[in-house]
């Protein structure tokens, strides 16, 4: 078994298994927690609407904070959208998803993917520089932040190297790319990458509380 | 034709013109990616060369490699293999049989000890002392070991000889191994493929005749000149891959338009071979040109790398058990964690309530 066989076989299977294990553990562990009773009289009966509003509206900065958050938010948008294009637009990735979930969609041309990957890479580097230089963000950051950043950028770097056939034989570069994605899968449930799932719950819960109190979400 | 004739003399005796011979040398030099001037050097070297003895052994194989070899796309090439070299033993083509055939092999080995070229196709079974493949009462592994001792070099023709191939595939009941796992003290050239491109076989032999040495090899023992690039990188359908245009089935519009076969399981991106450049059947086409994805047949263990029709980017799963167990275990631990948390909260509430009642 060579490195590519290992990456496509047992490593992929076990990384998915750990991903599934961790995500279900954390999700059920949170969803089944006891709710804190709010004995106050509700000022409005729009908990569900409040949850939905919070999930949607908080994807955009409030006017009051815009001046301070626009730069960070712009970087975040660029690398999130870029990652989405690369992950969900590249045909080999779509084929992997189809083999797992049975759903597929048309892919994008290679040039669009490669351009998005380079832009995403640049945005991630800018995000790291901001984290390292921002006086508050620097203090708030821990190992989880830096490691989550590393496992996110690694598949992009290895993917671009594989596409360019730079740094080794293609099958080895491809194997390293797949292994880097597997590292992301393994880390995903246990670090801050889990925000990709938990942001819905966190925003939703805030929206429920605010909605009940009749506050703006 | 005397065995001691030079190659040039034997070709002249067969009526092969100097012009035809030079065309062959130019073509072979081109295939080997040598500078144009090397065609003349090759012609001079080949003309002077004494016809070397070739012993061709066949073990666990389907004779596909031999079939490929006999379909070498020029009569001149065929002539080189079957007449310009002294093919002293090859079960598929030889007239002799039984003890006469074995005697021919032993005589050739004795007369050319240390100088003959040993060509092997097929894997070698070593399970149960090699009983799964015997010839004239001797096991394949014993014959190969003995023949390799007197060989100048060994050429493993086909993926079975080079890497074990299909006989080596899981569960490998006969303990089939590659020739290079038996012969460790002689240079071994792996000309892989199922079967190999005929011109690759003859090109390696011509290189040996010209330079008296084996060509530069890659990490898998294959000649770099033929196995230096992937099928994908030299594929005429590559632009469609870059444009994101893929055939979804073997008879859809994409297939008819000649779009990339990646989605249909083509293993071209990780397969090193000369199919896309040298092609087959007098340079007519190669599998991808005929509408089928590359199987990756020149790579080790190609038979055990999942379905030929699964895209390269998909995984090779052992089944749903591991994922199922992981999901159940994750759910169980998540529920368990929530239950423990709820109990703890209830316990804390119970402890808190009496205190609140105190004045």
């Amino acid at each position: 078994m060579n490195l590519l066989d290992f990456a496509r076989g047992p490593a992929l299977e076990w990384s998915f298994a750990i991903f599934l294990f961790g995500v279900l553990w954390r999700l059920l562990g949170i969803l089944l927690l006891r709710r804190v009773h709010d004995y106050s009289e509700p000022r409005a009966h729009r908990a569900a609407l409040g949850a939905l509003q919070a999930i949607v509206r908080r994807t955009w900065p409030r006017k009051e904070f815009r001046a301070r958050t626009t730069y960070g938010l712009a970087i975040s948008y660029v690398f999130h959208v870029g990652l989405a294009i690369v992950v969900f637009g590249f045909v080999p990735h779509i084929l992997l998803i189809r083999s797992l979930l049975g759903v597929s969609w048309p892919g994008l041309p290679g040039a669009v993917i490669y351009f998005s990957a380079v832009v995403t890479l640049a945005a991630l580097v800018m995000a790291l520089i901001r984290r390292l230089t921002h006086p508050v963000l620097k203090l708030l950051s821990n190992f989880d932040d830096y490691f989550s950043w590393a496992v996110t950028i690694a598949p992009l770097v290895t993917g671009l190297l594989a596409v360019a056939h730079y740094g080794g034989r293609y099958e080895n570069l491809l194997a390293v790319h797949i292994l880097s994605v597997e590292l992301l899968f393994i880390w995903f449930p246990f670090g801050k990458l889990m925000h990709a799932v938990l942001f819905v719950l966190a925003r939703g819960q805030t929206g429920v509380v605010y909605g009940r109190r009749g506050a703006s979400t | 034709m005397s065995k001691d004739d030079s190659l040039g003399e034997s070709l002249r005796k067969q009526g092969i013109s100097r012009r035809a011979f030079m065309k062959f040398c130019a073509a072979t030099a081109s295939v080997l990616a040598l500078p144009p001037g090397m065609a003349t050097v090759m012609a001079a070297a080949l003309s002077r060369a004494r016809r070397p003895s070739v012993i061709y052994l066949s073990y666990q194989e389907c004779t596909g490699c031999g079939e490929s070899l006999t379909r070498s796309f020029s009569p001149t090439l065929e002539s080189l293999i079957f007449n310009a070299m002294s093919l002293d033993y090859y079960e598929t083509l030889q007239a002799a049989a039984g003890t006469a055939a074995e005697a021919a092999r032993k005589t050739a080995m004795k007369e050319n000890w240390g100088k003959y070229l040993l060509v092997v196709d097929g894997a070698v079974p070593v399970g149960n002392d090699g009983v799964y493949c015997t010839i004239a009462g001797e096991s394949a592994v014993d014959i190969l070991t003995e023949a390799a001792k007197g060989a100048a070099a060994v050429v493993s023709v086909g993926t079975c000889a080079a890497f074990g191939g299909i006989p080596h595939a899981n569960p490998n009941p006969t303990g089939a191994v590659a020739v290079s796992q038996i012969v460790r003290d002689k240079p071994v050239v792996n000309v892989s493929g199922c079967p190999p491109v005929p011109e690759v076989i003859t090109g390696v032999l011509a290189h040996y005749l010209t330079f008296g040495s084996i060509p530069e090899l890659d990490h898998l023992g294959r000649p770099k000149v033929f196995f230096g690039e992937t099928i994908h990188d030299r594929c005429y359908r590559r632009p469609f891959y870059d444009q994101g245009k893929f055939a979804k089935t073997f008879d859809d519009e994409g297939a008819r338009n000649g779009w990339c076969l990646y989605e249909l399981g083509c293993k071209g991106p990780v397969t090193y071979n000369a199919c896309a450049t040298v092609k087959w059947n007098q340079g007519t086409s190669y599998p991808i040109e005929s509408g089928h994805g590359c199987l990756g047949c020149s790579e080790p263990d190609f038979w055990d790398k999942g379905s030929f029709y699964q895209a390269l980017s998909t995984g090779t799963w052992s089944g749903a058990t591991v994922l199922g167990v992981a999901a159940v275990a994750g759910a169980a631990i998540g529920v368990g964690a929530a239950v423990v948390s709820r109990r703890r909260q209830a316990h804390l509430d119970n402890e808190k309530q009496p205190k609140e009642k105190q004045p």
Side-chain angles (χ1 to χ4, degrees):
Chain A
M1 182 182 285
N2 62 25
L3 194 63
L4 182 59
D5 297 336
F6 173 71
R8 290 183 68 211
L12 188 64
E13 189 163 352
W14 280 98
S15 68
F16 268 124
I18 293 168
F19 172 82
L20 209 57
F21 170 82
V23 167
L24 283 171
W25 172 3
R26 290 201 65 188
L27 262 186
L28 288 174
I30 291 168
L31 288 172
L32 297 177
L33 279 177
R34 198 175 67 162
R35 301 281 174 273
V36 176
H37 291 292
D38 189 345
Y39 296 107
S40 65
E41 191 178 336
R43 291 181 184 170
H45 292 281
R46 51 185 179 88
L49 182 66
L52 274 175
Q53 281 179 335
I55 291 167
V56 176
R57 284 184 183 169
R58 289 186 177 223
T59 53
W60 202 248
R62 290 182 73 92
K63 197 167 60 180
E64 297 87 332
F65 309 122
R66 209 164 282 168
R68 277 184 291 169
T69 58
T70 300
Y71 177 68
L73 202 78
I75 293 173
S76 300
Y77 260 101
V78 169
F79 78 69
H80 276 88
V81 171
L83 274 176
I85 290 173
V86 173
V87 172
F88 299 113
F90 195 38
V91 170
H93 299 166
I94 297 170
L95 295 176
L96 175 65
I97 295 166
R98 188 177 74 184
S99 73
L100 287 167
L101 305 175
V103 292
S104 68
W105 48 87
L108 293 167
V112 175
I113 303 298
Y114 309 147
F115 177 75
S116 298
V118 172
V119 170
T120 308
L121 198 66
L124 276 168
V125 171
M126 288 163 76
L128 179 68
I129 292 170
R130 180 170 177 267
R131 186 173 288 280
L132 288 169
T133 54
H134 194 285
V136 178
L137 203 56
K138 188 167 62 175
L139 292 172
L140 292 174
S141 301
N142 59 16
F143 170 80
D144 191 350
D145 293 287
Y146 295 113
F147 192 68
S148 296
W149 177 89
V151 299
T152 305
I153 202 168
L156 274 170
V157 174
T158 55
L160 283 168
L161 289 175
V163 165
H165 291 207
Y166 187 78
R169 289 170 72 85
Y170 177 74
E171 65 274 23
N172 294 334
L173 293 170
L174 180 62
V176 170
H177 173 59
I178 295 172
L179 288 170
S180 70
V181 176
E182 288 158 0
L183 180 63
L184 185 145
F185 279 134
I186 291 168
W187 178 247
F188 184 96
F190 307 108
K192 290 190 178 179
L193 292 176
M194 189 66 184
H195 78 271
V197 178
L198 294 183
F199 87 96
V200 177
L201 304 183
R203 286 184 190 177
Q205 180 61 29
T206 307
V208 166
V209 173
Y210 283 17
R212 181 185 167 86
R213 292 177 186 174
S216 166
T217 52
Chain B
M1 181 174 59
S2 162
K3 201 174 223 178
D4 296 328
D5 280 351
S6 71
L7 189 59
E9 286 162 3
S10 78
L11 290 173
R12 274 191 294 281
K13 283 180 184 173
Q14 291 169 62
I16 294 171
S17 69
R18 174 79 184 160
R19 182 181 178 80
F21 178 60
M22 286 304 292
K23 275 173 73 177
F24 159 73
C25 290
T28 308
S30 170
V31 163
L32 286 162
L34 296 171
M38 289 307 289
T40 318
V41 177
M42 182 176 279
L46 290 179
S47 297
R48 284 195 305 273
R50 294 287 145 192
R51 295 169 58 236
S53 173
V54 173
I55 294 172
Y56 196 122
L57 303 175
S58 305
Y59 297 132
Q60 287 180 304
E61 48 88 38
C62 65
T63 314
C65 299
E67 290 280 348
S68 172
L69 185 62
T70 57
R71 279 153 181 77
S72 184
F73 73 68
S74 160
T76 312
L77 284 173
E78 249 179 14
S79 179
L80 182 77
I81 293 300
F82 295 117
N83 300 316
M85 288 179 157
S86 176
L87 189 59
D88 292 327
Y89 184 86
Y90 184 18
E91 287 152 12
T92 307
L93 298 177
Q94 69 195 8
T99 51
E102 293 311 300
R105 174 173 63 81
K106 289 188 173 164
T107 304
M109 283 168 56
K110 194 176 171 186
E111 288 179 357
N112 301 284
W113 191 256
K115 290 183 284 190
Y116 59 82
L117 199 59
L118 186 65
V119 181
V120 186
D121 76 16
V124 186
V126 295
N128 288 334
D129 294 327
V131 295
Y132 299 111
C133 181
T134 61
I135 297 159
E138 281 188 85
S139 71
V141 64
D142 287 344
I143 298 172
L144 176 61
T145 306
E146 185 197 0
K149 278 181 192 164
V154 180
V155 180
S156 297
V157 170
T159 298
C160 296
F163 307 127
I166 293 170
H168 178 72
N170 188 36
N172 189 6
T174 64
V177 298
V179 169
S180 57
Q181 287 181 262
I182 308 279
V183 182
R184 295 182 181 275
D185 57 346
K186 290 284 160 72
V188 178
V189 184
N190 287 331
V191 182
S192 63
C194 188
V197 179
E199 288 69 34
V200 174
I201 308 172
T202 53
V204 169
L205 299 178
H207 187 285
Y208 180 77
L209 281 170
T210 305
F211 300 106
S213 63
I214 58 173
E216 191 184 355
L217 307 178
D218 69 5
H219 71 292
L220 293 172
R222 301 176 298 192
K224 276 186 179 175
V225 67
F226 297 114
F227 296 90
E229 289 179 289
T230 63
I231 302 286
H232 183 65
D233 284 344
R234 300 306 299 265
C235 183
Y236 75 105
R237 297 194 191 213
R238 175 65 190 266
F240 295 115
Y241 174 88
D242 293 330
Q243 290 167 27
K245 291 178 176 174
F246 298 91
K248 312 284 182 193
T249 68
F250 287 107
D251 59 354
D252 68 357
E253 190 190 355
R256 284 192 290 276
N257 288 335
W259 290 356
C260 180
L261 302 171
Y262 185 92
E263 285 197 25
L264 294 169
C266 180
K267 303 297 184 292
V270 291
T271 304
Y272 292 79
N273 206 340
C275 300
T277 46
V278 178
K279 300 191 180 181
W280 294 75
N281 301 320
Q282 300 184 31
T284 305
S285 67
Y286 65 112
I288 292 171
E289 206 166 342
S290 304
H292 195 286
C294 169
L295 304 182
C297 73
S298 58
E299 297 299 316
D301 301 323
F302 80 102
W303 204 257
D304 287 328
K305 291 178 189 285
S307 166
F308 291 145
Y309 302 102
Q310 281 286 325
L312 187 64
S313 61
T314 60
T316 51
W317 308 93
S318 64
T321 312
V322 173
L323 292 183
V325 169
V328 171
I333 292 180
V335 171
V339 168
V340 168
S341 172
R342 278 170 171 261
R343 280 188 183 164
R344 188 175 162 76
Q345 281 174 317
H347 179 68
L348 288 172
D349 284 350
N350 288 339
E351 277 186 349
K352 203 175 170 185
Q353 276 174 356
K355 284 177 189 171
E356 283 173 352
K357 285 176 185 173
Q358 287 174 1

